Amino acid sequence: MFGQKKPKGLKIIIVGCGRVGETLCAQLSQEGHDITVIDKNAKRVKEITELYDIMGCVGNGASFGVQKEAGITDASLIIAVTESDELNLLCCTVAKRVAGCSAIARVRNPDYGKETEYLREKLGLAMIINPELEATREMVRVLCLPSALEIDTFAHGQAEHIKVKVKKSSMLDGLSVAKLDENTENILVCAVERDGEVHIPKGDFELRAGDIMSFVAPRKAVKAFFKKMGSNFHQVKNTIIVGGGNSGYYLAKQLLNIGVNVKIIEKDFERCEQLGNIFPNAIIINGDGTDEDLLREEGIETCESFVPLTGSDEENILLTLFAKKVTDENAKVITKINRITFSDVIDGLDLGSVLYPRYITSEAITAYVRAKSASRSNSIETLSYMFEHRVEAIEFNVENDRKKLTGIPLMNLNLKKDILIAFINRKGQIIIPKGSDCILPGDTVMIVTTHTGFADIKDILD
């Protein structure tokens, strides 16, 4: 056993010290929970426990003896994120049988895709999460609205939180937030990043070219906003995907379902044959997707979108830069990054839309943990991070007993500093609120804040 025990919030066991496991350790330990990691790699366990000042056990996470050593009998939650789907499910099953704690498993294999809900229900798991699938769903949303850098959905898809870059040619350049509110309907600017600093802007804040702006709007109002701004709001017609692994499979399947022409470049001949059988309407190319001549031959210079999904972050980044150069930045390019953590360097490269599957996993699990720690399993509907975790967007459920919040005009609420109430979802109707609007029991409410760790809607009050 590594580390020194420090009594904290929930007792959580994380099995697997890979990229996702470490991301969870960083986030959940920062939020004050008592974390113990399990992994077969003693060196890796030692590194993680020293880095985050948590506990660690070396061994097989599916072994009851190892789980018992890690403290499973008094744990509130076990999270299994090893490289093996089967091991993750087994870890959770053992924990549920011997301790009855909540359990979350990462399952990535497409073979389990249609069985996820069945497995979750039959094994009694709180959550089964597939980072690659969730990442490709976000990719599809961005490819349907190419002017956006990122798109997160809230209110069961009825509201969208979108990040864009303000360009010199845009009418947003030089426009104040108040003027933008006057000239558009159902749009609320949530946060702006400028020169590495993040602002929760007031009405007199003036947007400038180069700013990264996030805004929230009802889903039906988004395309009208982009049209008014003179930005591209049309879904891409075709895409080139480099890499035919799980991510390539998930992305191709979703794009073909919405009528996008798909071309996949994959090195492995047997995998190409499999993909050809699965996707008869796609073009499958057996070749090296990092070969410049091959990319030109397959039409990279004229494609509308390009998504490198190789197993190497470095290759994905270089392919993105190459695509932006040879298409004169006309193609929508998405970069998936699994491992690299040099965010300042990545931001400076202007890669366009950048997705981190490990953060998507962390967001979903952190939302569950916060709700559980608040003793309200349904207090958080959705949680999303922005601007390298410096800003949180959280959708809360509003219970009947929140009398200090409900029925009171927003202008009269004593809110903490740097909190923005972005929308109120009332029975499926998205309200972009004004000062005279009130929150009512049964609503869900999205807030945007630079604070961290909010677990209940009441936390926004000062």
Side-chain angles (χ1 to χ4, degrees), residues 15-16 37-42 45 56-63 66-67 69 82 87:
V15 184
V37 294
I38 301 174
D39 198 284
K40 290 181 180 179
N41 187 328
V45 171
C57 285
V58 179
N60 183 346
S63 162
V66 174
Q67 288 192 12
E69 183 185 355
T82 74
L87 181 58

Side-chain angles (χ1 to χ4, degrees), residues 274-294:
Q274 292 173 356
L275 292 170
N277 291 328
I278 296 169
F279 303 125
N281 295 327
I283 298 173
I284 313 298
I285 306 296
N286 180 219
D288 184 354
T290 63
D291 185 317
E292 179 179 341
D293 292 335
L294 176 63

Side-chain angles (χ1 to χ4, degrees), residues 55 92 117 120 132 146 179 194 210 228-229 256 277 289 295 303 305 313 326 330 357 364 404 427 438:
M55 300 286 288
C92 292
E117 191 57 33
R120 190 193 67 78
E132 282 76 12
K179 283 289 184 183
R194 176 181 296 165
K228 191 166 188 175
M229 295 300 109
L256 288 166
N277 291 328
L295 290 172
C303 70
S305 59
D313 291 348
V326 300
N330 290 323
K404 292 184 179 180
K427 297 179 180 178
C438 299

Side-chain angles (χ1 to χ4, degrees), residues 323-387:
K324 289 174 75 71
K325 178 181 178 182
V326 300
T327 65
D328 294 325
E329 301 205 7
N330 290 323
K332 178 63 184 180
V333 182
I334 300 176
T335 312
K336 173 189 161 190
I337 295 179
N338 285 315
R339 178 178 51 84
I340 293 176
T341 55
F342 297 103
S343 57
D344 290 343
V345 175
I346 290 170
D347 290 343
L349 292 175
D350 190 21
L351 297 175
S353 296
V354 180
L355 294 182
Y356 298 85
R358 68 180 184 274
Y359 290 143
I360 293 172
T361 306
S362 173
E363 288 171 7
I365 294 175
T366 300
Y368 174 82
V369 171
R370 286 192 192 174
K372 189 174 179 64
S373 64
S375 299
R376 293 174 178 268
S377 59
N378 65 341
S379 61
I380 297 179
E381 188 74 27
T382 314
L383 166 67
S384 178
Y385 297 117
M386 301 183 294
F387 304 111

Side-chain angles (χ1 to χ4, degrees), residues 107-126:
V107 177
R108 300 180 295 176
N109 193 322
D111 291 344
Y112 295 119
K114 295 179 180 179
E115 302 166 0
T116 298
E117 191 57 33
Y118 175 83
L119 288 170
R120 190 193 67 78
E121 182 181 338
K122 292 301 180 183
L123 297 178
L125 307 185

